[in-house]
């Protein structure tokens, strides 16, 4: 699929399923992403930034570069005053080695054909000691398992190409240090985070 087709697909999906300014589990994800990005003075690469709805949580005082396949959404993100790049994130990143303090990938990896390749690219563009922070749907929550048992798909989003468990997330962070996972979004999360959380927010640090 070419980049123009990819852009059209995600523009339609974002309009019909989410709408402008949508952030899943906004309070929890905003707080965690803001904490891990830190600042001021950080150079931040925001992958899959869409219209910048989540970007605003860690924009103040930082130099943010946003990348997305949805060209329409990027136009909205650019109005925040950030630098934007239109790209297919299944392709290598067009940035120099060790050029960012933080790389963000919120609700992105599940949309990629090869998320492991992007995670390796993220490590390449991070400076030593830099932070990778991301989130993915918790595909193996109890609801998903029950749907599978009755013969239904655990995920109904047609743009999702991957499913992640906590074990899968830890595997993605294998080359990073100080890995942390947070299970968020769901009223019953305190009872059993892995079974009831709808989302996993995670971070790791590139070794110095």
């Amino acid at each position: 699929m070419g980049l123009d087709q990819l852009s059209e697909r995600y523009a339609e999906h974002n309009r019909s399923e989410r709408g402008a300014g949508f952030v899943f589990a906004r309070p929890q994800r905003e707080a965690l992403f803001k904490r891990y990005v830190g600042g001021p003075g950080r150079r931040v690469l925001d992958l899959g930034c869409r219209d910048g709805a989540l970007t605003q949580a860690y924009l103040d005082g930082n130099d943010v570069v946003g990348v997305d396949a949805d060209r329409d959404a990027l136009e909205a993100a650019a109005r925040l005053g950030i630098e934007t790049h239109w790209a297919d994130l299944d392709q290598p990143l067009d940035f120099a080695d060790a050029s960012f303090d933080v790389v963000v990938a919120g609700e992105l990896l599940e949309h990629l054909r090869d998320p492991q390749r992007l995670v390796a690219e993220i490590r390449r563009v991070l400076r030593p000691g830099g932070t990778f922070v991301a989130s993915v749907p918790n595909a193996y929550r109890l609801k998903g398992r029950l749907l599978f048992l009755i013969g239904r798909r655990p995920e109904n989003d047609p743009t999702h190409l991957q499913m992640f468990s906590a074990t899968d997330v830890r595997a993605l962070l294998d080359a990073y240090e100080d890995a942390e996972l947070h299970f968020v979004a769901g009223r019953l999360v305190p009872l059993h985070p892995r079974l009831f959380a709808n989302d996993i927010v995670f971070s790791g640090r590139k070794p110095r």
Side-chain angles (χ1 to χ4, degrees):
M1 184 182 295
L3 185 51
D4 281 302
Q5 292 174 301
L6 196 63
S7 178
E8 290 173 8
R9 183 185 188 197
Y10 277 100
E12 175 58 30
H13 175 73
N14 290 332
R15 282 193 300 267
S16 62
E17 298 295 328
R18 297 186 171 188
F22 175 81
V23 177
F24 179 72
R26 182 187 289 269
Q28 294 160 300
R29 289 180 61 229
E30 281 186 339
L32 286 166
F33 277 65
K34 184 175 182 179
R35 187 178 101 197
Y36 283 115
V37 171
R42 298 292 183 90
R43 181 162 168 78
V44 182
L45 179 60
D46 193 346
L47 301 175
C49 67
R50 293 184 61 239
D51 59 5
L54 183 61
T55 311
Q56 296 176 76
Y58 40 85
L59 176 60
D60 190 30
N62 291 317
D63 175 18
V64 178
V65 178
V67 184
D68 205 278
D70 182 345
R71 187 159 45 184
D72 293 342
L74 271 183
E75 290 179 3
R79 290 196 283 272
L80 297 174
I82 69 172
E83 179 184 336
T84 58
H85 292 256
W86 182 45
D88 177 355
L89 287 165
D90 262 310
Q91 300 301 316
L93 297 174
D94 190 21
F95 300 102
D97 295 358
S99 53
F100 292 93
D101 300 301
V102 183
V103 178
V104 174
E107 307 299 286
L108 167 68
L109 298 175
E110 67 274 15
H111 296 273
L112 302 181
R113 296 187 300 275
D114 191 351
Q116 290 83 0
R117 182 169 63 180
L118 180 64
V119 172
E121 277 287 277
I122 288 169
R123 188 171 181 270
R124 177 184 67 79
V125 302
L126 273 173
R127 292 168 180 154
T131 300
F132 169 36
V133 56
S135 62
V136 293
N138 179 21
Y140 292 85
R141 61 193 182 276
L142 182 60
K143 179 182 177 181
R145 297 183 191 198
L146 293 175
L147 287 171
F148 180 80
L149 285 173
I150 63 173
R152 294 175 58 187
R153 290 173 55 87
E155 292 283 350
N156 59 10
D157 188 328
T159 66
H160 286 189
L161 304 181
Q162 311 291 336
M163 296 194 299
F164 291 96
S165 67
T167 301
D168 297 324
V169 168
R170 290 198 177 277
L172 287 176
L173 294 171
D174 186 58
Y176 293 81
E177 297 179 340
D178 303 324
E180 294 185 4
L181 275 67
H182 302 268
F183 296 88
V184 303
R187 290 175 297 175
L188 299 178
V189 170
L191 296 178
H192 197 301
R194 288 176 185 243
L195 281 182
F196 293 113
N198 288 296
D199 219 52
I200 306 172
V201 177
F202 57 95
S203 71
R205 185 167 53 83
K206 179 177 176 177
R208 293 185 182 277

